[in-house]
Amino acid sequence: MPSTIPAIWWGLALLALAAVVLVPACEYLNRRYVAADPWKAS
């Protein structure tokens, strides 16, 4: 990996990777939680 790549690009790449990995997982868990919560108004 060349050290000429600015740190901000590494940060953006990590954010993109986190979004790709975490967003579907969070949506799945959120939907499961909401579906299991009888008091939550859908």
PDB file of all heavy atoms in Angstrom:
ATOM      1  N   MET A   1       0.851  -1.197   0.000  1.00  0.00           N
ATOM      2  CA  MET A   1       0.000   0.000   0.000  1.00  0.00           C
ATOM      3  C   MET A   1       0.887   1.249   0.000  1.00  0.00           C
ATOM      4  O   MET A   1       1.702   1.407   0.900  1.00  0.00           O
ATOM      5  CB  MET A   1      -0.882   0.022   1.253  1.00  0.00           C
ATOM      6  CG  MET A   1      -1.827  -1.159   1.324  1.00  0.00           C
ATOM      7  SD  MET A   1      -3.257  -0.920   0.276  1.00  0.00           S
ATOM      8  CE  MET A   1      -4.134  -2.446   0.591  1.00  0.00           C
ATOM      9  N   PRO A   2       0.732   2.099  -0.966  1.00  0.00           N
ATOM     10  CA  PRO A   2       1.563   3.316  -1.004  1.00  0.00           C
ATOM     11  C   PRO A   2       1.186   4.279   0.105  1.00  0.00           C
ATOM     12  O   PRO A   2       0.011   4.454   0.424  1.00  0.00           O
ATOM     13  CB  PRO A   2       1.268   3.918  -2.378  1.00  0.00           C
ATOM     14  CG  PRO A   2      -0.070   3.371  -2.744  1.00  0.00           C
ATOM     15  CD  PRO A   2      -0.169   2.006  -2.104  1.00  0.00           C
ATOM     16  N   SER A   3       2.181   4.881   0.697  1.00  0.00           N
ATOM     17  CA  SER A   3       1.923   5.804   1.804  1.00  0.00           C
ATOM     18  C   SER A   3       1.519   7.178   1.295  1.00  0.00           C
ATOM     19  O   SER A   3       1.338   8.099   2.085  1.00  0.00           O
ATOM     20  CB  SER A   3       3.170   5.925   2.675  1.00  0.00           C
ATOM     21  OG  SER A   3       4.254   6.375   1.892  1.00  0.00           O
ATOM     22  N   THR A   4       1.389   7.342  -0.028  1.00  0.00           N
ATOM     23  CA  THR A   4       1.019   8.643  -0.590  1.00  0.00           C
ATOM     24  C   THR A   4      -0.484   8.864  -0.526  1.00  0.00           C
ATOM     25  O   THR A   4      -0.956   9.966  -0.773  1.00  0.00           O
ATOM     26  CB  THR A   4       1.486   8.752  -2.048  1.00  0.00           C
ATOM     27  OG1 THR A   4       0.947   7.648  -2.766  1.00  0.00           O
ATOM     28  CG2 THR A   4       2.996   8.710  -2.136  1.00  0.00           C
ATOM     29  N   ILE A   5      -1.243   7.814  -0.202  1.00  0.00           N
ATOM     30  CA  ILE A   5      -2.691   7.963  -0.106  1.00  0.00           C
ATOM     31  C   ILE A   5      -3.019   8.742   1.171  1.00  0.00           C
ATOM     32  O   ILE A   5      -2.602   8.357   2.248  1.00  0.00           O
ATOM     33  CB  ILE A   5      -3.382   6.586  -0.084  1.00  0.00           C
ATOM     34  CG1 ILE A   5      -3.112   5.829  -1.391  1.00  0.00           C
ATOM     35  CG2 ILE A   5      -4.882   6.741   0.137  1.00  0.00           C
ATOM     36  CD1 ILE A   5      -3.691   4.429  -1.393  1.00  0.00           C
ATOM     37  N   PRO A   6      -3.759   9.845   1.046  1.00  0.00           N
ATOM     38  CA  PRO A   6      -4.088  10.637   2.238  1.00  0.00           C
ATOM     39  C   PRO A   6      -4.929   9.841   3.214  1.00  0.00           C
ATOM     40  O   PRO A   6      -5.701   8.947   2.838  1.00  0.00           O
ATOM     41  CB  PRO A   6      -4.883  11.830   1.681  1.00  0.00           C
ATOM     42  CG  PRO A   6      -4.575  11.860   0.220  1.00  0.00           C
ATOM     43  CD  PRO A   6      -4.264  10.440  -0.179  1.00  0.00           C
ATOM     44  N   ALA A   7      -4.794  10.180   4.488  1.00  0.00           N
ATOM     45  CA  ALA A   7      -5.522   9.447   5.529  1.00  0.00           C
ATOM     46  C   ALA A   7      -7.027   9.602   5.361  1.00  0.00           C
ATOM     47  O   ALA A   7      -7.785   8.703   5.714  1.00  0.00           O
ATOM     48  CB  ALA A   7      -5.093   9.953   6.905  1.00  0.00           C
ATOM     49  N   ILE A   8      -7.464  10.724   4.802  1.00  0.00           N
ATOM     50  CA  ILE A   8      -8.913  10.940   4.659  1.00  0.00           C
ATOM     51  C   ILE A   8      -9.515   9.900   3.728  1.00  0.00           C
ATOM     52  O   ILE A   8     -10.657   9.460   3.913  1.00  0.00           O
ATOM     53  CB  ILE A   8      -9.190  12.375   4.162  1.00  0.00           C
ATOM     54  CG1 ILE A   8     -10.679  12.684   4.263  1.00  0.00           C
ATOM     55  CG2 ILE A   8      -8.698  12.550   2.736  1.00  0.00           C
ATOM     56  CD1 ILE A   8     -10.991  14.155   4.136  1.00  0.00           C
ATOM     57  N   TRP A   9      -8.761   9.470   2.715  1.00  0.00           N
ATOM     58  CA  TRP A   9      -9.289   8.444   1.811  1.00  0.00           C
ATOM     59  C   TRP A   9      -9.429   7.119   2.533  1.00  0.00           C
ATOM     60  O   TRP A   9     -10.373   6.366   2.285  1.00  0.00           O
ATOM     61  CB  TRP A   9      -8.394   8.294   0.593  1.00  0.00           C
ATOM     62  CG  TRP A   9      -8.463   9.503  -0.291  1.00  0.00           C
ATOM     63  CD1 TRP A   9      -7.454  10.356  -0.585  1.00  0.00           C
ATOM     64  CD2 TRP A   9      -9.629  10.003  -0.981  1.00  0.00           C
ATOM     65  NE1 TRP A   9      -7.911  11.354  -1.415  1.00  0.00           N
ATOM     66  CE2 TRP A   9      -9.239  11.167  -1.667  1.00  0.00           C
ATOM     67  CE3 TRP A   9     -10.963   9.580  -1.058  1.00  0.00           C
ATOM     68  CZ2 TRP A   9     -10.135  11.906  -2.445  1.00  0.00           C
ATOM     69  CZ3 TRP A   9     -11.856  10.314  -1.824  1.00  0.00           C
ATOM     70  CH2 TRP A   9     -11.443  11.461  -2.508  1.00  0.00           C
ATOM     71  N   TRP A  10      -8.492   6.813   3.445  1.00  0.00           N
ATOM     72  CA  TRP A  10      -8.638   5.595   4.243  1.00  0.00           C
ATOM     73  C   TRP A  10      -9.886   5.696   5.114  1.00  0.00           C
ATOM     74  O   TRP A  10     -10.624   4.733   5.279  1.00  0.00           O
ATOM     75  CB  TRP A  10      -7.401   5.383   5.117  1.00  0.00           C
ATOM     76  CG  TRP A  10      -6.231   4.903   4.324  1.00  0.00           C
ATOM     77  CD1 TRP A  10      -5.082   5.600   4.089  1.00  0.00           C
ATOM     78  CD2 TRP A  10      -6.091   3.650   3.651  1.00  0.00           C
ATOM     79  NE1 TRP A  10      -4.238   4.833   3.309  1.00  0.00           N
ATOM     80  CE2 TRP A  10      -4.821   3.650   3.032  1.00  0.00           C
ATOM     81  CE3 TRP A  10      -6.921   2.533   3.507  1.00  0.00           C
ATOM     82  CZ2 TRP A  10      -4.373   2.555   2.281  1.00  0.00           C
ATOM     83  CZ3 TRP A  10      -6.466   1.451   2.756  1.00  0.00           C
ATOM     84  CH2 TRP A  10      -5.213   1.471   2.156  1.00  0.00           C
ATOM     85  N   GLY A  11     -10.115   6.900   5.670  1.00  0.00           N
ATOM     86  CA  GLY A  11     -11.310   7.090   6.499  1.00  0.00           C
ATOM     87  C   GLY A  11     -12.584   6.896   5.692  1.00  0.00           C
ATOM     88  O   GLY A  11     -13.516   6.230   6.136  1.00  0.00           O
ATOM     89  N   LEU A  12     -12.614   7.457   4.477  1.00  0.00           N
ATOM     90  CA  LEU A  12     -13.798   7.297   3.636  1.00  0.00           C
ATOM     91  C   LEU A  12     -13.998   5.842   3.240  1.00  0.00           C
ATOM     92  O   LEU A  12     -15.127   5.342   3.227  1.00  0.00           O
ATOM     93  CB  LEU A  12     -13.655   8.168   2.380  1.00  0.00           C
ATOM     94  CG  LEU A  12     -13.787   9.672   2.637  1.00  0.00           C
ATOM     95  CD1 LEU A  12     -13.472  10.444   1.356  1.00  0.00           C
ATOM     96  CD2 LEU A  12     -15.181  10.018   3.139  1.00  0.00           C
ATOM     97  N   ALA A  13     -12.912   5.154   2.943  1.00  0.00           N
ATOM     98  CA  ALA A  13     -13.014   3.740   2.575  1.00  0.00           C
ATOM     99  C   ALA A  13     -13.546   2.927   3.751  1.00  0.00           C
ATOM    100  O   ALA A  13     -14.389   2.049   3.578  1.00  0.00           O
ATOM    101  CB  ALA A  13     -11.651   3.224   2.139  1.00  0.00           C
ATOM    102  N   LEU A  14     -13.075   3.234   4.952  1.00  0.00           N
ATOM    103  CA  LEU A  14     -13.549   2.505   6.131  1.00  0.00           C
ATOM    104  C   LEU A  14     -15.021   2.806   6.391  1.00  0.00           C
ATOM    105  O   LEU A  14     -15.792   1.912   6.753  1.00  0.00           O
ATOM    106  CB  LEU A  14     -12.714   2.889   7.355  1.00  0.00           C
ATOM    107  CG  LEU A  14     -11.312   2.277   7.362  1.00  0.00           C
ATOM    108  CD1 LEU A  14     -10.518   2.821   8.546  1.00  0.00           C
ATOM    109  CD2 LEU A  14     -11.374   0.756   7.426  1.00  0.00           C
ATOM    110  N   LEU A  15     -15.428   4.058   6.178  1.00  0.00           N
ATOM    111  CA  LEU A  15     -16.837   4.399   6.363  1.00  0.00           C
ATOM    112  C   LEU A  15     -17.709   3.666   5.356  1.00  0.00           C
ATOM    113  O   LEU A  15     -18.779   3.148   5.697  1.00  0.00           O
ATOM    114  CB  LEU A  15     -17.026   5.917   6.209  1.00  0.00           C
ATOM    115  CG  LEU A  15     -16.658   6.731   7.446  1.00  0.00           C
ATOM    116  CD1 LEU A  15     -16.785   8.224   7.139  1.00  0.00           C
ATOM    117  CD2 LEU A  15     -17.542   6.370   8.626  1.00  0.00           C
ATOM    118  N   ALA A  16     -17.252   3.604   4.111  1.00  0.00           N
ATOM    119  CA  ALA A  16     -18.023   2.899   3.086  1.00  0.00           C
ATOM    120  C   ALA A  16     -18.130   1.416   3.433  1.00  0.00           C
ATOM    121  O   ALA A  16     -19.207   0.819   3.317  1.00  0.00           O
ATOM    122  CB  ALA A  16     -17.358   3.085   1.720  1.00  0.00           C
ATOM    123  N   LEU A  17     -17.032   0.828   3.872  1.00  0.00           N
ATOM    124  CA  LEU A  17     -17.054  -0.583   4.241  1.00  0.00           C
ATOM    125  C   LEU A  17     -17.979  -0.812   5.426  1.00  0.00           C
ATOM    126  O   LEU A  17     -18.773  -1.760   5.430  1.00  0.00           O
ATOM    127  CB  LEU A  17     -15.634  -1.039   4.584  1.00  0.00           C
ATOM    128  CG  LEU A  17     -15.507  -2.514   4.948  1.00  0.00           C
ATOM    129  CD1 LEU A  17     -15.901  -3.390   3.759  1.00  0.00           C
ATOM    130  CD2 LEU A  17     -14.080  -2.834   5.382  1.00  0.00           C
ATOM    131  N   ALA A  18     -17.909   0.079   6.411  1.00  0.00           N
ATOM    132  CA  ALA A  18     -18.778  -0.050   7.583  1.00  0.00           C
ATOM    133  C   ALA A  18     -20.239   0.064   7.172  1.00  0.00           C
ATOM    134  O   ALA A  18     -21.093  -0.679   7.660  1.00  0.00           O
ATOM    135  CB  ALA A  18     -18.415   1.022   8.611  1.00  0.00           C
ATOM    136  N   ALA A  19     -20.546   0.993   6.249  1.00  0.00           N
ATOM    137  CA  ALA A  19     -21.925   1.154   5.794  1.00  0.00           C
ATOM    138  C   ALA A  19     -22.406  -0.111   5.085  1.00  0.00           C
ATOM    139  O   ALA A  19     -23.510  -0.588   5.332  1.00  0.00           O
ATOM    140  CB  ALA A  19     -22.020   2.366   4.867  1.00  0.00           C
ATOM    141  N   VAL A  20     -21.564  -0.655   4.227  1.00  0.00           N
ATOM    142  CA  VAL A  20     -21.952  -1.856   3.476  1.00  0.00           C
ATOM    143  C   VAL A  20     -22.191  -3.032   4.418  1.00  0.00           C
ATOM    144  O   VAL A  20     -23.094  -3.833   4.204  1.00  0.00           O
ATOM    145  CB  VAL A  20     -20.855  -2.194   2.441  1.00  0.00           C
ATOM    146  CG1 VAL A  20     -21.071  -3.587   1.864  1.00  0.00           C
ATOM    147  CG2 VAL A  20     -20.862  -1.142   1.331  1.00  0.00           C
ATOM    148  N   VAL A  21     -21.393  -3.128   5.475  1.00  0.00           N
ATOM    149  CA  VAL A  21     -21.491  -4.272   6.381  1.00  0.00           C
ATOM    150  C   VAL A  21     -22.555  -4.052   7.444  1.00  0.00           C
ATOM    151  O   VAL A  21     -23.336  -4.967   7.726  1.00  0.00           O
ATOM    152  CB  VAL A  21     -20.124  -4.524   7.051  1.00  0.00           C
ATOM    153  CG1 VAL A  21     -20.244  -5.565   8.150  1.00  0.00           C
ATOM    154  CG2 VAL A  21     -19.114  -4.995   6.007  1.00  0.00           C
ATOM    155  N   LEU A  22     -22.606  -2.845   8.018  1.00  0.00           N
ATOM    156  CA  LEU A  22     -23.440  -2.637   9.199  1.00  0.00           C
ATOM    157  C   LEU A  22     -24.880  -2.294   8.867  1.00  0.00           C
ATOM    158  O   LEU A  22     -25.788  -2.699   9.585  1.00  0.00           O
ATOM    159  CB  LEU A  22     -22.841  -1.516  10.061  1.00  0.00           C
ATOM    160  CG  LEU A  22     -21.540  -1.895  10.761  1.00  0.00           C
ATOM    161  CD1 LEU A  22     -21.015  -0.699  11.543  1.00  0.00           C
ATOM    162  CD2 LEU A  22     -21.727  -3.086  11.683  1.00  0.00           C
ATOM    163  N   VAL A  23     -25.122  -1.562   7.786  1.00  0.00           N
ATOM    164  CA  VAL A  23     -26.486  -1.124   7.490  1.00  0.00           C
ATOM    165  C   VAL A  23     -27.440  -2.303   7.298  1.00  0.00           C
ATOM    166  O   VAL A  23     -28.498  -2.336   7.926  1.00  0.00           O
ATOM    167  CB  VAL A  23     -26.501  -0.160   6.285  1.00  0.00           C
ATOM    168  CG1 VAL A  23     -27.928   0.059   5.792  1.00  0.00           C
ATOM    169  CG2 VAL A  23     -25.874   1.173   6.684  1.00  0.00           C
ATOM    170  N   PRO A  24     -27.116  -3.296   6.474  1.00  0.00           N
ATOM    171  CA  PRO A  24     -28.040  -4.432   6.342  1.00  0.00           C
ATOM    172  C   PRO A  24     -28.233  -5.180   7.655  1.00  0.00           C
ATOM    173  O   PRO A  24     -29.348  -5.603   7.976  1.00  0.00           O
ATOM    174  CB  PRO A  24     -27.349  -5.332   5.296  1.00  0.00           C
ATOM    175  CG  PRO A  24     -26.434  -4.426   4.556  1.00  0.00           C
ATOM    176  CD  PRO A  24     -25.974  -3.416   5.567  1.00  0.00           C
ATOM    177  N   ALA A  25     -27.171  -5.335   8.430  1.00  0.00           N
ATOM    178  CA  ALA A  25     -27.283  -6.043   9.701  1.00  0.00           C
ATOM    179  C   ALA A  25     -28.164  -5.263  10.669  1.00  0.00           C
ATOM    180  O   ALA A  25     -29.026  -5.832  11.336  1.00  0.00           O
ATOM    181  CB  ALA A  25     -25.894  -6.258  10.306  1.00  0.00           C
ATOM    182  N   CYS A  26     -27.983  -3.952  10.737  1.00  0.00           N
ATOM    183  CA  CYS A  26     -28.794  -3.125  11.632  1.00  0.00           C
ATOM    184  C   CYS A  26     -30.252  -3.133  11.187  1.00  0.00           C
ATOM    185  O   CYS A  26     -31.150  -3.195  12.021  1.00  0.00           O
ATOM    186  CB  CYS A  26     -28.248  -1.698  11.661  1.00  0.00           C
ATOM    187  SG  CYS A  26     -26.713  -1.556  12.587  1.00  0.00           S
ATOM    188  N   GLU A  27     -30.497  -3.058   9.882  1.00  0.00           N
ATOM    189  CA  GLU A  27     -31.882  -3.087   9.407  1.00  0.00           C
ATOM    190  C   GLU A  27     -32.535  -4.418   9.750  1.00  0.00           C
ATOM    191  O   GLU A  27     -33.683  -4.463  10.171  1.00  0.00           O
ATOM    192  CB  GLU A  27     -31.905  -2.861   7.888  1.00  0.00           C
ATOM    193  CG  GLU A  27     -31.796  -1.393   7.532  1.00  0.00           C
ATOM    194  CD  GLU A  27     -32.292  -1.144   6.123  1.00  0.00           C
ATOM    195  OE1 GLU A  27     -33.020  -1.991   5.584  1.00  0.00           O
ATOM    196  OE2 GLU A  27     -31.962  -0.092   5.571  1.00  0.00           O
ATOM    197  N   TYR A  28     -31.790  -5.516   9.587  1.00  0.00           N
ATOM    198  CA  TYR A  28     -32.341  -6.835   9.903  1.00  0.00           C
ATOM    199  C   TYR A  28     -32.676  -6.925  11.392  1.00  0.00           C
ATOM    200  O   TYR A  28     -33.769  -7.342  11.765  1.00  0.00           O
ATOM    201  CB  TYR A  28     -31.326  -7.906   9.514  1.00  0.00           C
ATOM    202  CG  TYR A  28     -31.697  -9.278  10.035  1.00  0.00           C
ATOM    203  CD1 TYR A  28     -32.760  -9.975   9.466  1.00  0.00           C
ATOM    204  CD2 TYR A  28     -30.996  -9.849  11.087  1.00  0.00           C
ATOM    205  CE1 TYR A  28     -33.103 -11.231   9.937  1.00  0.00           C
ATOM    206  CE2 TYR A  28     -31.334 -11.101  11.565  1.00  0.00           C
ATOM    207  CZ  TYR A  28     -32.391 -11.788  10.991  1.00  0.00           C
ATOM    208  OH  TYR A  28     -32.734 -13.019  11.466  1.00  0.00           O
ATOM    209  N   LEU A  29     -31.743  -6.495  12.236  1.00  0.00           N
ATOM    210  CA  LEU A  29     -31.989  -6.571  13.677  1.00  0.00           C
ATOM    211  C   LEU A  29     -33.118  -5.624  14.075  1.00  0.00           C
ATOM    212  O   LEU A  29     -33.948  -5.957  14.919  1.00  0.00           O
ATOM    213  CB  LEU A  29     -30.703  -6.208  14.435  1.00  0.00           C
ATOM    214  CG  LEU A  29     -29.603  -7.265  14.330  1.00  0.00           C
ATOM    215  CD1 LEU A  29     -28.335  -6.745  14.997  1.00  0.00           C
ATOM    216  CD2 LEU A  29     -30.027  -8.579  14.948  1.00  0.00           C
ATOM    217  N   ASN A  30     -33.173  -4.452  13.458  1.00  0.00           N
ATOM    218  CA  ASN A  30     -34.213  -3.487  13.787  1.00  0.00           C
ATOM    219  C   ASN A  30     -35.580  -4.030  13.403  1.00  0.00           C
ATOM    220  O   ASN A  30     -36.537  -3.945  14.161  1.00  0.00           O
ATOM    221  CB  ASN A  30     -33.931  -2.173  13.054  1.00  0.00           C
ATOM    222  CG  ASN A  30     -34.667  -1.015  13.710  1.00  0.00           C
ATOM    223  OD1 ASN A  30     -35.075  -1.111  14.863  1.00  0.00           O
ATOM    224  ND2 ASN A  30     -34.831   0.072  12.990  1.00  0.00           N
ATOM    225  N   ARG A  31     -35.679  -4.612  12.216  1.00  0.00           N
ATOM    226  CA  ARG A  31     -36.953  -5.181  11.782  1.00  0.00           C
ATOM    227  C   ARG A  31     -37.368  -6.316  12.706  1.00  0.00           C
ATOM    228  O   ARG A  31     -38.531  -6.456  13.044  1.00  0.00           O
ATOM    229  CB  ARG A  31     -36.803  -5.703  10.348  1.00  0.00           C
ATOM    230  CG  ARG A  31     -37.157  -4.617   9.335  1.00  0.00           C
ATOM    231  CD  ARG A  31     -37.365  -5.212   7.940  1.00  0.00           C
ATOM    232  NE  ARG A  31     -36.864  -4.256   6.971  1.00  0.00           N
ATOM    233  CZ  ARG A  31     -36.158  -4.593   5.902  1.00  0.00           C
ATOM    234  NH1 ARG A  31     -35.864  -5.853   5.670  1.00  0.00           N
ATOM    235  NH2 ARG A  31     -35.745  -3.682   5.078  1.00  0.00           N
ATOM    236  N   ARG A  32     -36.420  -7.152  13.099  1.00  0.00           N
ATOM    237  CA  ARG A  32     -36.727  -8.265  13.992  1.00  0.00           C
ATOM    238  C   ARG A  32     -37.241  -7.731  15.325  1.00  0.00           C
ATOM    239  O   ARG A  32     -38.203  -8.228  15.873  1.00  0.00           O
ATOM    240  CB  ARG A  32     -35.449  -9.081  14.229  1.00  0.00           C
ATOM    241  CG  ARG A  32     -35.634 -10.541  13.835  1.00  0.00           C
ATOM    242  CD  ARG A  32     -34.357 -11.314  14.054  1.00  0.00           C
ATOM    243  NE  ARG A  32     -34.423 -11.992  15.342  1.00  0.00           N
ATOM    244  CZ  ARG A  32     -33.419 -12.652  15.885  1.00  0.00           C
ATOM    245  NH1 ARG A  32     -32.268 -12.713  15.278  1.00  0.00           N
ATOM    246  NH2 ARG A  32     -33.551 -13.248  17.020  1.00  0.00           N
ATOM    247  N   TYR A  33     -36.564  -6.689  15.826  1.00  0.00           N
ATOM    248  CA  TYR A  33     -36.956  -6.136  17.120  1.00  0.00           C
ATOM    249  C   TYR A  33     -38.346  -5.512  17.040  1.00  0.00           C
ATOM    250  O   TYR A  33     -39.189  -5.737  17.896  1.00  0.00           O
ATOM    251  CB  TYR A  33     -35.932  -5.085  17.558  1.00  0.00           C
ATOM    252  CG  TYR A  33     -36.352  -4.368  18.822  1.00  0.00           C
ATOM    253  CD1 TYR A  33     -36.267  -5.021  20.055  1.00  0.00           C
ATOM    254  CD2 TYR A  33     -36.846  -3.068  18.780  1.00  0.00           C
ATOM    255  CE1 TYR A  33     -36.659  -4.382  21.209  1.00  0.00           C
ATOM    256  CE2 TYR A  33     -37.241  -2.425  19.924  1.00  0.00           C
ATOM    257  CZ  TYR A  33     -37.146  -3.084  21.152  1.00  0.00           C
ATOM    258  OH  TYR A  33     -37.541  -2.447  22.296  1.00  0.00           O
ATOM    259  N   VAL A  34     -38.594  -4.747  15.994  1.00  0.00           N
ATOM    260  CA  VAL A  34     -39.893  -4.084  15.853  1.00  0.00           C
ATOM    261  C   VAL A  34     -40.996  -5.129  15.688  1.00  0.00           C
ATOM    262  O   VAL A  34     -42.076  -5.004  16.257  1.00  0.00           O
ATOM    263  CB  VAL A  34     -39.864  -3.118  14.656  1.00  0.00           C
ATOM    264  CG1 VAL A  34     -41.275  -2.646  14.317  1.00  0.00           C
ATOM    265  CG2 VAL A  34     -38.964  -1.933  14.977  1.00  0.00           C
ATOM    266  N   ALA A  35     -40.713  -6.185  14.936  1.00  0.00           N
ATOM    267  CA  ALA A  35     -41.734  -7.204  14.714  1.00  0.00           C
ATOM    268  C   ALA A  35     -42.032  -7.961  16.000  1.00  0.00           C
ATOM    269  O   ALA A  35     -43.146  -8.435  16.202  1.00  0.00           O
ATOM    270  CB  ALA A  35     -41.255  -8.176  13.633  1.00  0.00           C
ATOM    271  N   ALA A  36     -41.045  -8.054  16.888  1.00  0.00           N
ATOM    272  CA  ALA A  36     -41.242  -8.788  18.128  1.00  0.00           C
ATOM    273  C   ALA A  36     -41.796  -7.915  19.244  1.00  0.00           C
ATOM    274  O   ALA A  36     -42.078  -8.408  20.326  1.00  0.00           O
ATOM    275  CB  ALA A  36     -39.910  -9.422  18.564  1.00  0.00           C
ATOM    276  N   ASP A  37     -41.942  -6.626  18.987  1.00  0.00           N
ATOM    277  CA  ASP A  37     -42.406  -5.691  20.013  1.00  0.00           C
ATOM    278  C   ASP A  37     -43.891  -5.415  19.818  1.00  0.00           C
ATOM    279  O   ASP A  37     -44.272  -4.695  18.912  1.00  0.00           O
ATOM    280  CB  ASP A  37     -41.603  -4.384  19.919  1.00  0.00           C
ATOM    281  CG  ASP A  37     -41.920  -3.459  21.097  1.00  0.00           C
ATOM    282  OD1 ASP A  37     -42.798  -3.825  21.897  1.00  0.00           O
ATOM    283  OD2 ASP A  37     -41.296  -2.402  21.187  1.00  0.00           O
ATOM    284  N   PRO A  38     -44.759  -5.977  20.652  1.00  0.00           N
ATOM    285  CA  PRO A  38     -46.198  -5.820  20.438  1.00  0.00           C
ATOM    286  C   PRO A  38     -46.692  -4.406  20.749  1.00  0.00           C
ATOM    287  O   PRO A  38     -47.783  -4.037  20.336  1.00  0.00           O
ATOM    288  CB  PRO A  38     -46.803  -6.816  21.415  1.00  0.00           C
ATOM    289  CG  PRO A  38     -45.777  -6.976  22.486  1.00  0.00           C
ATOM    290  CD  PRO A  38     -44.444  -6.801  21.800  1.00  0.00           C
ATOM    291  N   TRP A  39     -45.909  -3.620  21.473  1.00  0.00           N
ATOM    292  CA  TRP A  39     -46.345  -2.267  21.840  1.00  0.00           C
ATOM    293  C   TRP A  39     -45.938  -1.235  20.804  1.00  0.00           C
ATOM    294  O   TRP A  39     -46.371  -0.099  20.859  1.00  0.00           O
ATOM    295  CB  TRP A  39     -45.745  -1.870  23.197  1.00  0.00           C
ATOM    296  CG  TRP A  39     -46.189  -2.788  24.270  1.00  0.00           C
ATOM    297  CD1 TRP A  39     -45.453  -3.757  24.868  1.00  0.00           C
ATOM    298  CD2 TRP A  39     -47.490  -2.852  24.909  1.00  0.00           C
ATOM    299  NE1 TRP A  39     -46.190  -4.402  25.815  1.00  0.00           N
ATOM    300  CE2 TRP A  39     -47.437  -3.880  25.869  1.00  0.00           C
ATOM    301  CE3 TRP A  39     -48.676  -2.135  24.724  1.00  0.00           C
ATOM    302  CZ2 TRP A  39     -48.544  -4.197  26.659  1.00  0.00           C
ATOM    303  CZ3 TRP A  39     -49.760  -2.449  25.513  1.00  0.00           C
ATOM    304  CH2 TRP A  39     -49.699  -3.477  26.461  1.00  0.00           C
ATOM    305  N   LYS A  40     -45.093  -1.643  19.861  1.00  0.00           N
ATOM    306  CA  LYS A  40     -44.616  -0.687  18.858  1.00  0.00           C
ATOM    307  C   LYS A  40     -45.706  -0.498  17.791  1.00  0.00           C
ATOM    308  O   LYS A  40     -46.168  -1.451  17.200  1.00  0.00           O
ATOM    309  CB  LYS A  40     -43.339  -1.239  18.198  1.00  0.00           C
ATOM    310  CG  LYS A  40     -42.721  -0.252  17.233  1.00  0.00           C
ATOM    311  CD  LYS A  40     -41.844   0.730  17.975  1.00  0.00           C
ATOM    312  CE  LYS A  40     -41.045   1.562  16.992  1.00  0.00           C
ATOM    313  NZ  LYS A  40     -40.236   2.562  17.687  1.00  0.00           N
ATOM    314  N   ALA A  41     -46.101   0.735  17.574  1.00  0.00           N
ATOM    315  CA  ALA A  41     -47.102   1.003  16.552  1.00  0.00           C
ATOM    316  C   ALA A  41     -46.442   1.004  15.187  1.00  0.00           C
ATOM    317  O   ALA A  41     -45.559   1.812  14.914  1.00  0.00           O
ATOM    318  CB  ALA A  41     -47.767   2.355  16.830  1.00  0.00           C
ATOM    319  N   SER A  42     -46.822   0.096  14.345  1.00  0.00           N
ATOM    320  CA  SER A  42     -46.242   0.030  13.001  1.00  0.00           C
ATOM    321  C   SER A  42     -47.001   0.971  12.082  1.00  0.00           C
ATOM    322  O   SER A  42     -46.456   1.431  11.115  1.00  0.00           O
ATOM    323  CB  SER A  42     -46.291  -1.394  12.457  1.00  0.00           C
ATOM    324  OG  SER A  42     -47.627  -1.842  12.445  1.00  0.00           O
TER     325      SER A  42
END
